[in-house]
Amino acid sequence: MKFKSLFFLFFCVMYFTKVSALQNILKDTSYSINSTFKKYVKVFPKIKVVKTKKFNNVSQTENIVYKKLNYRNLALDAFINKDKNNPAVILIHGGGWKSGNKSHMHNLAKNIATKGYSCFAIEYRLADEAKYPKGIYDVKSAIKFIKLNAKRFHTDSSKVAILGASSGAQMATLVGTTNNNIKFEEEANNVVSASVKAIINLDGILAFKHPDSKEGKMASLWLGGSFRDKPRIWKEASPLFHTNKNTPPILFINSQFKRFHAGRDDVIKILDNYAIYSQVETIPNSPHTFWLFQPYFNDTLKFITQFLNQKFKAN
């Protein structure tokens, strides 16, 4: 009887500890497609939210657990072309490192998948839950999970691209420019690499402290302090300072707002020095979050699929 009481007490403590942890990470939902539409429609009255479509050649499975934390799980949503051995595309949502949801990338993921790809919109820990570099660890864990389950996902593990939007683009580019750098991985795992072969950056900064950058409060929250307090971390988290001869090809798709591609031209200069392919496409007269809305979505999709086809399907 005494043993049962102790066991019950232990169970209660663990249960309420987990509930308390989950309560402490209530997600910030301030950034959504609807709130963004309301923000931009006043300036861009012709914008429309992209309509959700169903494609017969794409299967959709949501909330596949890719990583187990001690208090909750992280999941991804898979959009798989029914062909075999597809190149993979990992998609990282934006939201200022603090808000946003993997569902924001669904329309883009589905439309890319129908062109012959396996696409994955992933969840990662946001700033209120975990500071940098935990979110980067999560993305690299997702890449490894996808590669380890390549057969299940009809994926060619040697052909993986990473795509990010806004803050997610900063993360995607950092992930790609730190290929095989174990400092940016939570767990040493020699079974499979978290490296990627191509990067797609949708209006994401390349340097936090830069003449073109206006990052402040949101960056400080994610990076654990201001530039004055954490100069080393601000530099370490900037893809510009990791770009080298091992960086994969990069496609930049940008709005006209200069602050969202701070450091891009510096990165391109480094890539040019090593004869690494880069491409810049600008969506004129568009809001920052152009990938969420028509009439910009179709051009964004075209640029992405042309780049992916060139890197992974060209003869």
Side-chain angles (χ1 to χ4, degrees), residues 33 37 47-53 104 106-108 111 289-298 301:
I33 295 176
F37 174 79
I47 66 171
K48 295 180 180 180
V49 175
V50 177
K51 292 182 179 180
T52 299
K53 294 181 181 179
H104 296 171
H106 280 191
N107 281 326
L108 200 52
N111 278 271
T289 53
F290 54 83
W291 55 90
L292 297 176
F293 305 113
Q294 294 288 18
Y296 322 103
F297 180 85
N298 290 344
L301 177 65

Coordinates of all heavy atoms in Angstrom, one line a residue, residues 33 37 47-53 104 106-108 111 289-298 301:
I33 N -1.7 34.2 -40.9 CA -2.0 34.6 -42.2 C -3.0 35.7 -42.2 O -3.0 36.7 -42.9 CB -2.4 33.4 -43.1 CG1 -1.2 32.4 -43.3 CG2 -2.8 33.9 -44.5 CD1 -1.5 31.2 -44.0
F37 N -2.6 39.5 -43.4 CA -3.5 40.0 -44.5 C -4.1 41.3 -44.1 O -4.1 42.3 -44.9 CB -4.6 39.0 -44.8 CG -5.6 39.5 -45.8 CD1 -5.3 39.5 -47.2 CD2 -6.8 40.0 -45.4 CE1 -6.2 40.0 -48.1 CE2 -7.8 40.4 -46.3 CZ -7.5 40.4 -47.7
I47 N -4.2 42.2 -52.8 CA -3.7 40.9 -52.4 C -4.9 40.0 -51.9 O -5.9 40.5 -51.5 CB -2.7 41.1 -51.2 CG1 -3.4 41.6 -49.9 CG2 -1.6 41.9 -51.6 CD1 -2.5 41.5 -48.7
K48 N -4.7 38.7 -52.1 CA -5.6 37.7 -51.7 C -4.9 36.5 -51.1 O -3.8 36.2 -51.6 CB -6.4 37.2 -53.0 CG -7.3 38.3 -53.6 CD -8.1 37.7 -54.8 CE -9.0 38.7 -55.4 NZ -9.7 38.2 -56.6
V49 N -5.5 36.0 -50.1 CA -4.9 34.8 -49.5 C -4.9 33.6 -50.5 O -5.9 33.4 -51.2 CB -5.7 34.4 -48.2 CG1 -5.1 33.1 -47.6 CG2 -5.6 35.5 -47.2
V50 N -3.8 32.9 -50.5 CA -3.7 31.8 -51.5 C -4.8 30.7 -51.1 O -4.9 30.3 -49.9 CB -2.3 31.2 -51.4 CG1 -2.2 29.9 -52.3 CG2 -1.3 32.2 -51.8
K51 N -5.5 30.3 -52.1 CA -6.5 29.2 -51.9 C -5.9 27.9 -51.7 O -4.9 27.5 -52.4 CB -7.5 29.2 -53.1 CG -8.4 30.4 -53.2 CD -9.4 30.3 -54.3 CE -10.3 31.5 -54.4 NZ -11.2 31.4 -55.5
T52 N -6.4 27.1 -50.8 CA -5.9 25.8 -50.5 C -6.4 24.8 -51.6 O -7.6 24.8 -51.9 CB -6.3 25.3 -49.1 OG1 -5.7 26.2 -48.1 CG2 -5.8 23.9 -48.9
K53 N -5.5 24.0 -52.1 CA -5.9 23.1 -53.2 C -5.5 21.6 -52.7 O -4.6 21.5 -51.9 CB -5.2 23.4 -54.5 CG -5.6 24.7 -55.1 CD -4.8 24.8 -56.5 CE -5.2 26.1 -57.1 NZ -4.4 26.3 -58.4
H104 N 1.5 27.6 -41.9 CA 1.7 28.7 -42.8 C 2.4 28.3 -44.1 O 2.3 29.0 -45.1 CB 2.5 29.8 -42.1 CG 1.8 30.4 -41.0 ND1 2.4 31.3 -40.1 CD2 0.5 30.2 -40.5 CE1 1.5 31.7 -39.2 NE2 0.4 31.0 -39.4
H106 N 2.0 25.3 -45.6 CA 1.3 24.2 -46.3 C 1.1 24.4 -47.7 O 1.3 23.5 -48.6 CB 0.0 23.9 -45.6 CG 0.1 23.1 -44.3 ND1 -1.0 22.6 -43.6 CD2 1.2 22.8 -43.6 CE1 -0.5 21.9 -42.6 NE2 0.8 22.1 -42.5
N107 N 0.5 25.6 -48.1 CA 0.2 25.8 -49.5 C 1.5 25.8 -50.4 O 1.5 25.2 -51.5 CB -0.5 27.2 -49.7 CG -1.9 27.1 -49.4 OD1 -2.6 26.1 -49.6 ND2 -2.5 28.2 -48.8
L108 N 2.6 26.3 -49.9 CA 3.8 26.3 -50.7 C 4.3 24.9 -50.7 O 4.7 24.4 -51.8 CB 4.8 27.2 -50.0 CG 6.0 27.7 -50.8 CD1 5.6 28.3 -52.2 CD2 6.9 28.7 -50.1
N111 N 2.2 22.7 -53.2 CA 2.4 23.1 -54.6 C 3.8 22.7 -55.1 O 4.0 22.4 -56.3 CB 2.2 24.6 -54.8 CG 0.8 25.0 -54.9 OD1 0.2 25.0 -56.0 ND2 0.1 25.3 -53.8
T289 N 5.7 39.6 -46.7 CA 5.2 38.2 -46.7 C 4.6 37.8 -48.0 O 3.5 37.2 -48.0 CB 4.3 37.9 -45.5 OG1 3.2 38.8 -45.5 CG2 5.1 38.0 -44.2
F290 N 5.2 38.1 -49.1 CA 4.6 37.9 -50.4 C 4.3 36.4 -50.7 O 3.4 36.1 -51.5 CB 5.6 38.4 -51.5 CG 7.0 37.9 -51.4 CD1 7.3 36.6 -52.0 CD2 8.0 38.6 -50.8 CE1 8.6 36.1 -51.9 CE2 9.3 38.1 -50.7 CZ 9.6 36.8 -51.3
W291 N 5.0 35.5 -50.1 CA 4.7 34.1 -50.4 C 3.4 33.6 -49.8 O 3.0 32.5 -50.2 CB 5.9 33.2 -49.7 CG 6.0 33.5 -48.3 CD1 5.4 32.9 -47.2 CD2 6.9 34.5 -47.7 NE1 5.8 33.4 -46.0 CE2 6.7 34.4 -46.3 CE3 7.7 35.5 -48.2 CZ2 7.4 35.3 -45.4 CZ3 8.4 36.3 -47.3 CH2 8.2 36.2 -45.9
L292 N 2.7 34.4 -49.0 CA 1.4 34.0 -48.5 C 0.2 34.4 -49.3 O -0.9 34.0 -49.1 CB 1.3 34.6 -47.0 CG 2.2 34.1 -46.0 CD1 2.0 34.8 -44.7 CD2 2.1 32.6 -45.8
F293 N 0.5 35.3 -50.3 CA -0.6 35.9 -51.0 C -0.4 35.9 -52.5 O 0.7 35.9 -53.0 CB -0.7 37.4 -50.5 CG -0.8 37.6 -49.0 CD1 0.2 38.2 -48.3 CD2 -1.9 37.1 -48.4 CE1 0.1 38.3 -46.9 CE2 -2.1 37.3 -47.0 CZ -1.0 37.9 -46.3
Q294 N -1.6 35.9 -53.2 CA -1.6 36.2 -54.6 C -1.7 37.8 -54.7 O -2.2 38.4 -53.8 CB -2.9 35.6 -55.2 CG -2.8 34.1 -55.2 CD -1.8 33.5 -56.2 OE1 -0.9 34.2 -56.7 NE2 -2.0 32.3 -56.6
P295 N -1.2 38.4 -55.8 CA -0.7 37.7 -57.0 C 0.8 37.4 -57.0 O 1.4 37.1 -58.1 CB -1.0 38.8 -58.1 CG -0.7 40.1 -57.3 CD -1.2 39.8 -55.9
Y296 N 1.4 37.2 -55.8 CA 2.8 37.0 -55.8 C 3.2 35.5 -55.6 O 4.3 35.1 -55.9 CB 3.4 37.8 -54.6 CG 2.8 39.1 -54.3 CD1 1.9 39.3 -53.3 CD2 3.1 40.2 -55.2 CE1 1.3 40.5 -53.1 CE2 2.5 41.4 -55.0 CZ 1.6 41.6 -53.9 OH 1.0 42.8 -53.7
F297 N 2.2 34.7 -55.2 CA 2.5 33.3 -54.9 C 3.0 32.6 -56.1 O 3.9 31.8 -56.0 CB 1.3 32.7 -54.3 CG 1.4 31.2 -53.9 CD1 2.0 30.8 -52.7 CD2 1.1 30.2 -54.8 CE1 2.1 29.5 -52.4 CE2 1.2 28.9 -54.5 CZ 1.7 28.5 -53.3
N298 N 2.3 32.8 -57.2 CA 2.6 32.0 -58.4 C 4.0 32.2 -58.9 O 4.8 31.3 -59.3 CB 1.6 32.3 -59.5 CG 0.2 31.7 -59.3 OD1 0.1 30.9 -58.4 ND2 -0.8 32.2 -60.0
L301 N 6.4 30.5 -56.5 CA 6.5 29.1 -56.7 C 7.3 28.8 -58.0 O 8.1 27.8 -58.0 CB 5.1 28.5 -56.9 CG 4.9 27.1 -57.2 CD1 5.4 26.2 -56.1 CD2 3.4 26.7 -57.5

